[in-house]
Amino acid sequence: MWGPRTDDPPLAPARPAPLIDPFQRAITYLRVSVTDRCDLRCVYCMSEDMAFLPKRDLLTLEELDRVCSVFIARGVRKLRITGGEPLVRRDIMHLFRGLSRHLGSGALDEMTLTTNGTRLKAHAAELADLGMRRLNVSLDTLDPEKFRAITRRGDLRVVLDGIEAARAAGLKVKINAVALKGVNEDEIPGMLAWAHGLGMEMTLIEVMPLGDIEPDRADQFMPLSVMRERLAERFTLTPLPDRTGGPARYVRVEETGGRLGFITPLTHNFCESCNRVRLTCTGKLYMCLGQEDAADLRAVLRASPDDGPVADAIAEAITRKPKGHDFVIARASRPAVPRHMSTTGG
Ligand code: SAM
Ligand code: SF4
């Protein structure tokens, strides 16, 4: 009799061919913003009095699950949930629970999260149970006063407790810090030693010109080329060949043995290997963080319960993925892109 023998390894699920953009890049990574709201107001990200979107404009949790699942059926292997602050969205764990079925089936390699950490203590254990392996926590300072000033309201202790809870649950935590001129630049070496001392990777991010905010961006901008030179005076930085298809470039810090990433959209171009697209909380699919072109998937999702038109709209949008962005920090500090990072998802 023909048929699988019992001692054969189980058949791996067939992998769908990924969507390929006009520049031959396979689109395997989707970042999804699940809310534009946040419990913090970081000075480089939001204005003090942000106007948030009405609820009806947001994709429902069911619509988010549906659209993510269509992407996964079209070859997306990695999903990052972001915001705004994803963990402030009501019932957000319902979405994580639902999407974790794709980890279980092997259709998805990774489901991950970018968070400010304020609600992590409550959710870390369940996220780990659902199959999440790692997450990014954004933290720009270890000084409680400075933390309150940068976030305009946050309590550093709560975030540190969240990080501890995530580590205790076995999640690998990466610390993302935006380098801010005159604000946290002196603290970066100390933060690096702290993060690596706890076995956490760290990535430094340059301020990007996204969305209107009150402070002048040119005043906030701290070139990471300068930061890297300064770190090199204290640490031995060995460049690593690691590439994630994203904007980060990595070094190993020999003294700590840890990895440090630099995200430098303004001083270096990272577009040639871009494997990602971004979905906003209102269902707009942006093919590039730095360009205005987007496809309205919400309209397609709401027009029919059939997933076919959604898959077609996604495939059509990918044919419009541009070669790259053209951010420039203008002295006038007019944003290159008017939407905030919290809408598109960082
Ligand atoms: N609230 C979550 C958090 O803070 O991690 C997720 C959303 S937040 C928009 C994602 C990332 O974008 C954060 O690491 C934040 O520091 C970064 N970010 C926000 N605005 C930025 C800007 N104008 N330039 C560079 N990074 C920015
Ligand atoms: Fe909120 Fe994250 Fe933006 Fe800070 S960076 S205001 S935590 S969305």
Side-chain angles (χ1 to χ4, degrees):
M1 269 266 286
W2 294 104
R5 286 174 19 207
T6 47
D7 52 350
D8 283 343
L11 288 174
R15 289 192 168 203
L19 291 161
I20 305 290
D21 82 355
F23 303 96
Q24 300 309 309
R25 296 169 296 194
I27 308 307
T28 54
Y29 182 8
L30 174 67
R31 296 170 79 106
V32 184
S33 173
V34 295
T35 176
D36 62 329
R37 288 164 198 260
C38 187
D39 50 346
L40 304 180
R41 296 285 184 281
C42 302
V43 290
Y44 48 78
C45 180
M46 294 194 179
S47 59
E48 173 77 69
D49 53 345
M50 286 291 283
F52 293 111
L53 295 165
K55 197 169 164 234
R56 64 175 179 280
D57 287 356
L58 301 190
L59 294 187
T60 63
L61 294 176
E62 289 68 30
E63 287 167 338
L64 283 165
D65 184 302
R66 198 176 144 208
V67 69
C68 289
S69 300
V70 173
F71 269 103
I72 293 164
R74 297 303 317 258
V76 157
R77 308 282 319 167
K78 178 172 170 182
L79 200 57
R80 178 175 294 280
I81 304 297
T82 177
E85 173 47 41
L87 297 182
V88 303
R89 174 136 187 196
R90 192 191 301 178
D91 295 331
I92 191 64
M93 293 308 291
H94 185 68
L95 179 70
F96 284 112
R97 268 179 235 124
L99 290 173
S100 69
R101 71 185 181 280
H102 299 296
L103 291 170
S105 75
L108 193 60
D109 293 332
E110 185 168 34
M111 176 171 74
T112 179
L113 165 71
T114 299
T115 175
N116 63 22
T118 58
R119 308 264 173 113
L120 208 42
K121 192 173 174 185
H123 299 300
E126 185 176 2
L127 289 169
D129 277 351
L130 292 174
M132 191 174 283
R133 294 284 155 259
R134 50 191 190 128
L135 48 79
N136 294 350
V137 178
S138 305
L139 180 62
D140 306 323
T141 176
L142 289 173
D143 175 326
E145 300 293 315
K146 250 188 232 177
F147 184 79
R148 185 164 289 276
I150 293 173
T151 61
R152 295 201 186 96
R153 59 195 65 189
D155 180 349
L156 177 66
R157 191 67 255 161
V158 174
V159 175
L160 294 179
D161 287 349
I163 291 172
E164 254 332 288
R167 295 178 62 239
L171 290 160
K172 259 177 90 174
V173 178
K174 180 158 76 79
I175 302 295
N176 281 347
V178 175
L180 296 164
K181 190 160 84 183
V183 178
N184 65 355
E185 55 179 303
D186 294 341
E187 248 197 280
I188 299 296
M191 282 189 79
L192 181 63
W194 165 77
H196 284 185
L198 293 175
M200 301 187 290
E201 244 185 63
M202 185 160 171
T203 294
L204 298 174
I205 307 175
E206 259 172 11
V207 178
M208 287 181 257
L210 300 173
D212 263 324
I213 52 164
E214 291 102 7
D216 189 320
R217 277 193 208 279
D219 288 344
Q220 298 178 336
F221 183 58
M222 167 82 212
L224 288 188
S225 47
V226 174
M227 182 55 74
R228 187 171 170 154
E229 278 167 27
R230 277 196 218 156
L231 286 168
E233 288 166 14
R234 182 161 153 193
F235 299 104
T236 314
L237 308 179
T238 308
L240 294 170
D242 314 14
R243 293 282 187 274
T244 55
R249 294 294 175 262
Y250 298 96
V251 296
R252 185 174 52 245
V253 180
E254 298 300 342
E255 287 76 5
T256 62
R259 194 166 82 145
L260 171 66
F262 296 91
I263 299 189
T264 55
L266 301 171
T267 49
H268 282 114
N269 211 307
F270 53 82
C271 304
E272 65 285 346
S273 59
C274 181
N275 61 355
R276 62 199 58 193
V277 288
R278 295 177 151 84
L279 186 70
T280 69
C281 52
T282 59
K284 279 193 174 163
L285 181 66
Y286 282 92
M287 279 63 77
C288 172
L289 180 62
Q291 302 281 4
E292 275 298 88
D293 184 32
D296 180 7
L297 298 185
R298 186 182 65 193
V300 189
L301 281 162
R302 291 185 180 172
S304 152
D306 178 4
D307 288 344
V310 183
D312 292 347
I314 292 170
E316 192 280 325
I318 301 297
T319 67
R320 291 192 269 131
K321 185 166 163 69
K323 195 167 182 189
H325 68 66
D326 35 43
F327 288 139
V328 177
I329 278 269
R331 272 296 338 161
S333 297
R334 206 177 308 115
V337 173
R339 63 186 189 277
H340 288 258
M341 182 78 110
S342 49
T343 311
T344 324

